[in-house]
């Protein structure tokens, strides 16, 4: 799933929560946030704190990666440069475009 907007984050959190069989109150307790916050983020509230979002997706067992689409070199001490990741979505998209 490609995350481009807060609505994408909202859908990711909601879908994973449901898949794991958690209700909003259970997720809120595990993530250390209020149920109201879970409701708001699942509705796509645009001013949700990034730290709380990251904590919530971690509770749901999701890891988010950043992909630099500018092809700019990363600083040498960057974690990303020591542990490069492959963007499978980009590879699949490129292969689909070749058809």
């Amino acid at each position: 799933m490609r995350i481009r907007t807060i609505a994408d984050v909202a859908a990711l959190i909601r879908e994973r929560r449901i898949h794991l069989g958690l209700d909003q109150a259970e997720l809120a307790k595990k993530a250390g946030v209020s149920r109201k916050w879970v409701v708001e983020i699942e509705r796509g509230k645009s001013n949700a704190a990034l730290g709380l979002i990251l904590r919530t997706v971690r509770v749901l067992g999701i890891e988010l990666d950043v992909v630099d689409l500018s092809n700019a070199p990363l600083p040498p001490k960057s974690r990303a440069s020591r542990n490069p990741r492959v963007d499978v979505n980009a590879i699949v998209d490129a292969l689909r475009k070749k058809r």
Side-chain angles (χ1 to χ4, degrees), residues 21 24 26 28 34 39 46 51 57 63 67 69 71 73 85-89:
Q24 291 172 329
E26 291 169 322
S34 69
V39 169
S46 63
V57 297
E63 179 180 289
V67 177
L69 300 176
N71 294 322
R85 304 258 177 159
V86 175
D87 184 355
V88 176
N89 290 330

Side-chain angles (χ1 to χ4, degrees), residues 51-63:
L52 296 179
I53 292 171
L54 294 174
R55 184 171 32 177
T56 302
V57 297
R58 187 172 43 248
V59 165
L60 294 170
I62 299 169
E63 179 180 289

Side-chain angles (χ1 to χ4, degrees), residues 15-32:
E15 289 169 13
R16 183 61 173 239
R17 175 183 62 75
I18 291 167
H19 175 77
L20 293 174
L22 297 171
D23 64 27
Q24 291 172 329
E26 291 169 322
L27 174 57
K29 184 176 181 181
K30 288 177 180 265

Side-chain angles (χ1 to χ4, degrees), residues 6-7 10 36-37 39-49 53:
I6 192 68
K36 179 182 177 189
W37 184 87
V39 169
E40 290 174 349
I41 191 62
E42 286 187 359
R43 287 184 180 162
K45 181 179 177 183
S46 63
N47 63 351
I53 292 171

